Amino acid sequence: MSALTFMRRGAVVQIEKFAPDTMLLDYLRLTEKSKGTKEGCNEGDCGACTVVVGTPHNGGVRYQAVNACILMLGQIHGKELITVDDLARDGVLHPVQQAMVDAHASQCGFCTPGFVMSLFSLAHEKRDVTRADVVDQIAGNLCRCTGYRPIIDAGLAACNAVDDHWSRAQAKTSKILSGLEGDLFVGDDTSFFASPASAEKLAELCAQYPKATILSGGTDVGLWVTKQMRVQAQIIYTGRAKGFAAIEDHGNVISIGAGATHTDVLEILSHLSPDLGELLRRFGSRHVRASGTIGGNIANGSPIGDMPPALIALGATLHLRHGKVERSMKLEDFFIAYGKQDRKAGELVWRVDVPKPASNQVFKCFKISKRFDDDISAVMGAFLFTVEDSKISAARIAFGGMAATPKRALKTETALIGKTLDEALSVVLDDYAPIADMRASAEYRVTVGNALLRKALMEAAGANDVRVLQP
Amino acid sequence: MRTVGKSITHDSADLHVSGTAIYIDDMREPEGTVHVAPGYAKEGARGKIILCDLSAVRAAAGVIAVFAAKDIPHKNDCSPTAGDDPKLLQRLRSFQFAIQKPICCHLMLLKKAMLKNPLLIKSSVN
């Protein structure tokens, strides 16, 4: 296909020409002139631009809230796009909108369209929602005047067995969207947005255009455009490539395709470790988790990405692919230096294999950030202890936010070996010289790193949810 | 009293929830509207500005005017009481907390199209 095609207000919309790095929010506000969706932070943090994207799923449609500001227009090919402007029908407010009015859940009203869309997606995703569901859903929507209590009330009142225009049209919508499969290439050799429909074609295109930007969720690449004003002339989007997001449980190893979103892996990784589940639940927001991918979080090489330290501690193996050639390495070896990863131009982060902890192993991980939800880590620590005959026989420790890359604490690991979990409490984290920045001072990072090591050891020994450490 | 003790809906609530409340950014700007963009020295948040060469900015297409501290005809301060908040920086500035916050040393008046174009500003701070 050579035209971007998506569903909007019941009709199929086609766009034959657009700048490859057009952001969805700009398309909505400037081209379509739908002004209901607001621009707040323009970096996927505040949720004022929340829209809902529908994807065909098991004969129905899966609706997810995403941030339109950092979603590229090309990413909605083959999807249904719903914005706040669409909800009221024939002058009657949607149940979610009416609940927001009834609960007095708006004040200045600027964040309100985002909250409405966020709750709209929850209403379609779940039945009988709990307070925790609502709170989790709106973690990616910031309100600075009404307060969240009335908004949560509205969510609890409205997100329950919703029966609306969209739920009734699901089968029809799904059928239309399923007809939009196949490769997409809009533009020419020098300037294009490509969205291959298979993993094979994706690998082939990336090898063919080694200078192209590989776009997965856009939760980082989007900011290159909106904050750094960097023009992206050639874009290859991974999100529609069949097989690229596959998640397979091989018994003792979970194999995660690079394109799997954080939402996709939440359940399976929660079973691998409750700590990992909690880390994922606090990873960005539901908006970010619905877009951002495991592969993207690794490929961008950020020293404060949350998944790499956890996956390194678990002993994950990374697979890369260039054209038809695949190679693999230990995940920690992928991160060479700040902003430098062991990835050639045109090469894709392909898959990560994560071993499940054995019965004599304990895995713990903790995220420390200024704000509990929807925030970037100051320090993120992950620990895997192997305990034999009451003594630590092996340890894998990795931290984010402590060095220029996600990095293992090799010296500390060695110091732990041969000690009981109790004796190990005397070990001092001795691998990092962290920097001070807007998220934490160097001293804070050192102190917290040591506290997390102690917390991990105490919890490995059986203590529950250690909150306060005695000096 | 008609209102005390009663639950009364916000008069704009329907507009808020349906996205039809109009904010400044939703209005079509009057023809010829100019935009203001702050210019920063990216080298640091603390120190003395020893050079701020705005000639390239002034010469750039779409730039209507550039203002620096010396262009302010009255007192260069916007603090309510303490006189400690210069609008534009001339010489010295240290931000106690915002370690990465760059120094704002001039304002530009721009046509809208220029807002997305990075401008080369020569400056240095030590």
Side-chain angles (χ1 to χ4, degrees):
Chain A
M1 234 182 243
S2 60
L4 178 73
T5 311
F6 58 97
M7 257 188 93
R8 180 99 176 101
R9 295 170 183 157
V12 173
V13 177
Q14 288 208 312
I15 302 176
E16 290 175 356
K17 208 174 168 194
F18 61 97
D21 59 1
T22 304
M23 305 311 290
L24 179 60
L25 182 60
D26 283 346
Y27 168 77
L28 284 171
R29 292 183 57 84
L30 304 177
T31 305
E32 199 181 80
K33 307 244 181 333
S34 296
K35 303 285 183 77
T37 310
K38 305 303 176 197
E39 178 179 325
C41 67
N42 223 5
E43 58 183 30
D45 200 13
C46 77
C49 67
T50 305
V51 298
V52 169
V53 169
T55 315
H57 185 68
N58 296 339
V61 183
R62 180 193 202 186
Y63 288 115
Q64 288 182 301
V66 291
N67 293 306
C69 67
I70 52 169
L71 198 78
M72 291 196 182
L73 174 62
Q75 288 177 261
I76 61 164
H77 179 77
K79 305 198 166 171
E80 182 186 15
L81 174 65
I82 308 169
T83 66
V84 71
D85 321 87
D86 314 337
L87 263 49
R89 297 183 75 80
D90 305 322
V92 180
L93 293 178
H94 185 272
V96 168
Q97 294 174 313
Q98 190 59 52
M100 288 283 285
V101 173
D102 294 344
H104 307 283
S106 76
Q107 197 172 139
C108 85
F110 193 80
C111 67
T112 311
F115 275 97
V116 166
M117 293 316 291
S118 208
L119 294 175
F120 174 87
S121 75
L122 181 64
H124 281 272
E125 205 169 348
K126 272 193 135 172
R127 288 181 174 266
D128 303 317
V129 300
T130 62
R131 193 173 193 281
D133 291 328
V134 178
V135 169
D136 205 27
Q137 178 62 51
I138 63 174
N141 294 91
L142 304 188
C143 165
R144 287 296 171 265
C145 54
T146 312
Y148 296 99
R149 201 268 307 151
I151 298 172
I152 295 167
D153 288 349
L156 285 168
C159 300
N160 189 8
V162 76
D163 175 27
D164 64 5
H165 166 75
W166 289 271
S167 60
R168 290 191 288 269
Q170 274 208 37
K172 191 179 157 206
T173 305
S174 175
K175 202 171 158 209
I176 295 172
L177 295 180
S178 300
L180 302 178
E181 285 171 355
D183 299 327
L184 173 78
F185 192 99
V186 187
D188 55 35
D189 265 3
T190 53
S191 172
F192 62 81
F193 188 99
S195 176
S198 71
E200 291 299 318
K201 181 75 183 172
L202 169 66
E204 187 189 311
L205 267 185
C206 289
Q208 188 184 342
Y209 296 100
K211 285 187 180 158
T213 300
I214 301 170
L215 171 72
S216 54
T219 57
D220 192 39
V221 173
L223 276 70
W224 300 358
V225 177
T226 64
K227 295 288 152 168
Q228 298 173 13
M229 314 287 183
R230 282 159 59 186
V231 174
Q232 309 296 315
Q234 302 177 322
I235 298 174
I236 301 171
Y237 174 51
T238 68
R240 292 175 58 252
K242 247 193 199 94
F244 190 63
I247 302 165
E248 287 161 15
D249 190 337
H250 298 298
N252 50 3
V253 172
I254 297 170
S255 182
I256 303 171
T261 65
H262 294 91
T263 300
D264 294 337
V265 299
L266 179 63
E267 195 180 326
I268 196 165
L269 292 186
S270 297
H271 287 300
L272 185 148
S273 151
D275 273 15
L276 199 51
E278 177 63 4
L279 177 73
L280 276 162
R281 199 201 60 71
R282 285 179 56 207
F283 187 108
S285 60
R286 287 203 71 184
H287 304 49
V288 167
R289 296 196 291 275
S291 298
T293 66
I294 296 294
N297 195 230
I298 293 169
N300 84 357
S302 167
I304 42 174
D306 277 337
M307 289 312 284
L311 298 176
I312 289 171
L314 284 163
T317 303
L318 186 68
H319 299 264
L320 295 113
R321 181 155 156 171
H322 185 263
K324 290 187 184 306
V325 183
E326 212 171 313
R327 65 187 176 116
S328 59
M329 65 183 76
K330 285 179 182 169
L331 179 56
E332 56 263 44
D333 296 337
F334 179 66
F335 305 102
I336 299 167
Y338 181 75
K340 190 169 183 228
Q341 291 81 247
D342 186 3
R343 188 178 69 80
K344 288 182 290 192
E347 195 172 35
L348 280 153
V349 165
W350 192 250
R351 185 177 94 232
V352 61
D353 289 340
V354 189
K356 293 182 190 172
S359 58
N360 62 347
Q361 291 182 316
V362 187
F363 176 76
K364 303 299 300 179
C365 67
F366 313 109
K367 172 184 170 103
I368 303 294
S369 52
K370 283 188 173 174
R371 199 167 56 196
F372 197 73
D373 282 308
D374 195 16
D375 201 1
I376 292 167
S377 291
V379 176
M380 192 269 149
F383 311 84
L384 182 75
F385 305 120
T386 309
V387 183
E388 284 172 287
D389 299 329
S390 312
K391 289 194 168 147
I392 299 172
S393 62
R396 291 179 66 88
I397 300 173
F399 271 89
M402 294 291 272
T405 59
K407 201 176 162 207
R408 268 181 83 178
L410 294 168
K411 279 198 260 180
T412 308
E413 289 174 8
T414 308
L416 293 173
I417 290 171
K419 292 190 170 59
T420 64
L421 289 167
D422 197 40
E423 288 163 358
L425 291 173
S426 63
V427 172
V428 175
L429 190 64
D430 187 25
D431 291 81
Y432 306 109
I435 57 161
D437 65 11
M438 64 200 280
R439 294 189 184 90
S441 67
E443 296 79 8
Y444 179 87
R445 287 191 157 102
V446 169
T447 306
V448 160
N450 271 296
L452 293 184
L453 171 62
R454 285 168 62 87
K455 177 175 161 73
L457 288 164
M458 290 161 84
E459 292 186 8
N464 279 325
D465 198 17
V466 175
R467 309 288 298 176
V468 180
L469 293 174
Q470 301 304 327
Chain B
M1 299 263 278
R2 289 184 298 125
T3 53
V4 173
K6 288 180 184 159
S7 176
I8 292 171
T9 303
H10 191 313
D11 56 3
S12 296
D14 283 14
L15 303 180
H16 291 159
V17 299
S18 53
T20 47
I22 295 171
Y23 296 80
I24 294 271
D25 196 31
D26 305 329
M27 295 177 188
R28 183 138 191 202
E29 57 272 63
E31 197 185 331
T33 300
V34 293
H35 296 257
V36 178
Y40 298 103
K42 289 185 174 162
E43 290 75 11
R46 182 191 171 93
K48 195 182 282 183
I49 299 169
I50 53 174
L51 174 78
C52 187
D53 180 358
L54 300 174
S55 53
V57 182
R58 287 204 165 88
V63 174
I64 298 158
V66 183
F67 302 111
K70 65 177 170 50
D71 301 316
I72 298 173
H74 48 82
K75 197 175 172 197
N76 181 13
D77 180 57
C78 60
S79 65
T81 53
D84 59 351
D85 209 351
K87 283 183 263 197
L88 293 171
L89 296 166
Q90 204 157 15
R91 289 187 59 241
L92 189 71
R93 181 59 163 161
S94 77
F95 286 94
Q96 194 177 351
F97 300 111
I99 293 165
Q100 293 182 333
K101 188 170 176 172
I103 294 171
C104 178
C105 55
H106 63 280
L107 284 178
M108 296 170 281
L109 282 184
L110 305 170
K111 290 183 181 164
K112 193 174 189 181
M114 288 298 297
L115 289 174
K116 284 209 163 181
N117 287 337
L119 289 170
L120 264 184
I121 302 163
K122 268 195 202 165
S123 61
S124 64
V125 174
N126 69 9

